[in-house]
């Protein structure tokens, strides 16, 4: 763990004490491991869960950094994680023992995390941040954040999910590799002002905890509707990659009860005919209208 932090100026360091004083959560962030720089907070959280039982209950544990040297994105991609005031964190979620009925609904965790992130950023910035199904955060079709959830079995044989959240807040866009700049943005770029990450993260953790608590207590009732309202994919013409070189195009109609995307096919394959209602899970989706540059 850890890594070179010498390019982190004092102003770039997260103010942990102020965060702890601002937290309104029950569990999320109450145990917080901060490191100025690390390879990947998701990797750190997964390693932590393999350790022998400690004193702290891992549910709600947050690992937070100011910079990642090997940030992980979805589908094996890299998450570019420069210093200068972005947010990179992982939150550990352990469904309560006996909450076995919840297992089918764990598919909702990444979507609810994106929803919490989009609600938080929209509220803080005063403009709309949407979710591109399943869990990319967009402003004007540019990617402002992403979620990577990784499921594991802990050393105590419990199912745990690590919710990795990367949000582009204050870092200068020209610190991003050239190939990413056209499709990426930051909150500060869009709002033309910098943001204090402390209230933003306190708000994010509260929203996330509330959504996850609700899922574990009541199941996903009503969530498809709430998600669809924030989701810029619903109503769009999209292309879905089913497998190597096989694409289907159609109109994204709605979100299903397990969080799947329901697509009315307009141009299909031999197996998926036009007019069919296709339920998409775990596939790549590209918005065809507008100028979505998000290759994720
Ligand atoms: C994506 O590809 O859209 C998901 C990006 C997720 C990035 C976050 S940053 C904090 C956490 N640690 C990682 O290594 N990745 C996630």
């Amino acid at each position: 763990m850890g890594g070179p932090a010498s390019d982190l100026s004092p102003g770039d360091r997260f103010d942990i004490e102020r965060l702890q004083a601002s937290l309104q959560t029950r569990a999320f962030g109450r145990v917080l491991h901060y490191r100025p720089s690390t390879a990947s907070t998701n990797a750190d959280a997964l390693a932590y869960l393999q350790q022998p039982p400690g004193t702290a209950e891992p549910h709600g544990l947050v690992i937070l950094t100011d910079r990642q040297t090997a940030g992980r994105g979805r589908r094996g991609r890299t998450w570019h994680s420069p210093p200068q005031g972005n947010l990179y964190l992982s939150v550990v979620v352990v469904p309560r023992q006996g909450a076995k009925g919840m297992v089918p609904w764990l598919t909702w965790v990444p979507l609810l995390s994106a929803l919490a992130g989009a609600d938080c950023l929209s509220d803080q910035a005063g403009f709309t941040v949407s979710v591109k199904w399943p869990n990319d955060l967009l402003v004007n079709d540019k990617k402002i954040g992403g979620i990577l959830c990784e499921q594991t079995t802990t050393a105590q044989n419990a199912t745990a999910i690590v919710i990795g959240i990367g949000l582009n807040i204050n870092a200068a866009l020209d610190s991003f590799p050239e190939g990413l700049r056209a499709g990426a943005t930051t909150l500060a770029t869009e709002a033309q002002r910098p943001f204090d990450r402390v209230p933003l993260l306190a708000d994010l953790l509260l929203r996330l905890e509330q959504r996850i608590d609700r899922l574990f207590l009541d199941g996903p009732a009503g969530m498809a509707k709430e998600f669809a309202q924030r989701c810029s994919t619903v109503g769009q013409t999209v292309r879905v990659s089913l497998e190597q070189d096989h694409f289907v195009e159609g109109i994204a109609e709605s979100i299903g009860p397990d969080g799947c995307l329901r697509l009315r096919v307009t141009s299909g394959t031999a197996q998926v005919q036009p007019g069919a209602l296709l339920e998409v899970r775990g596939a790549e989706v590209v918005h065809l209208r507008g100028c979505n540059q998000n290759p994720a």
Side-chain angles (χ1 to χ4, degrees):
M1 280 180 216
S6 52
D7 54 350
L8 209 62
S9 73
D12 291 337
R13 282 181 78 106
F14 200 94
D15 188 339
I16 297 299
E17 280 178 18
R18 212 153 49 84
L19 175 72
Q20 279 166 338
S22 315
L23 279 181
Q24 291 179 276
T25 52
R26 185 177 45 79
F28 282 26
R30 294 293 169 179
V31 179
L32 190 141
H33 296 188
Y34 167 75
R35 36 205 67 140
S37 178
T38 192
S40 155
T41 58
N42 267 31
D44 291 350
L46 290 166
Y48 179 89
L49 291 169
Q50 296 316 316
Q51 288 172 8
T55 44
E57 153 69 42
H59 180 73
L61 167 77
V62 168
I63 299 187
L64 176 71
T65 191
D66 281 310
R67 172 180 189 264
Q68 295 182 123
T69 52
R72 299 181 185 174
R74 288 172 56 222
R75 300 183 178 276
R77 296 188 182 106
T78 299
W79 186 255
H80 179 65
S81 312
Q84 309 162 340
N86 281 349
L87 278 173
Y88 314 110
L89 64 142
S90 298
V91 184
V92 172
V93 169
V94 185
R96 241 166 288 156
Q97 290 216 332
K100 286 208 165 50
M102 285 298 102
V103 171
W105 304 122
L106 293 183
T107 52
W108 270 103
V109 172
L111 285 81
L112 294 181
S113 305
L115 195 50
D119 285 348
C120 165
L121 295 187
S122 299
D123 216 46
Q124 297 278 328
F127 50 74
T128 300
V129 176
S130 72
V131 181
K132 173 176 171 267
W133 185 91
N135 52 15
D136 288 335
L137 304 187
L138 303 185
V139 176
N140 297 324
D141 270 319
K142 293 187 172 191
K143 188 154 168 170
I144 200 164
I147 312 284
L148 174 67
C149 288
E150 298 185 80
Q151 193 167 322
T152 189
T153 302
T154 68
Q156 294 81 59
N157 209 25
T159 297
I161 302 175
V162 172
I163 305 173
I165 305 174
L167 299 176
N168 299 334
I169 308 295
N170 292 313
L173 261 186
D174 59 17
S175 71
F176 283 67
E178 218 174 306
L180 292 181
R181 275 180 224 161
T185 193
T186 71
L187 208 59
T189 305
E190 297 299 320
Q192 300 194 314
R193 68 172 176 91
F195 284 83
D196 181 349
R197 291 177 295 167
V198 170
L200 204 149
L201 181 54
D203 182 52
L204 174 65
L205 291 173
L206 181 62
R207 289 174 189 272
L208 191 58
E209 181 175 80
Q210 287 170 339
R211 293 216 173 259
I212 299 291
D213 278 356
R214 205 177 112 200
L215 177 69
F216 289 169
L217 283 173
D218 302 335
M223 288 181 182
K225 197 168 160 209
E226 278 174 48
F227 184 84
Q229 282 164 355
R230 227 342 133 210
C231 178
S232 49
T233 307
V234 173
Q236 281 255 11
T237 304
V238 299
R239 178 184 298 137
V240 177
S241 315
L242 295 180
E243 53 199 48
Q244 200 102 46
D245 298 332
H246 279 89
F247 299 100
V248 165
E249 288 181 10
I251 316 268
E253 279 193 356
S254 62
I255 302 297
D258 65 347
C260 70
L261 184 69
R262 288 177 167 155
L263 187 74
R264 185 66 63 184
V265 176
T266 52
S267 158
T269 63
Q271 288 78 33
V272 190
Q273 301 287 320
L277 189 64
L278 182 68
E279 297 201 330
V280 179
R281 295 178 181 86
E284 286 283 275
V285 168
V286 176
H287 290 179
L288 293 179
R289 248 177 290 147
C291 53
N292 175 39
Q293 298 297 309
N294 168 36

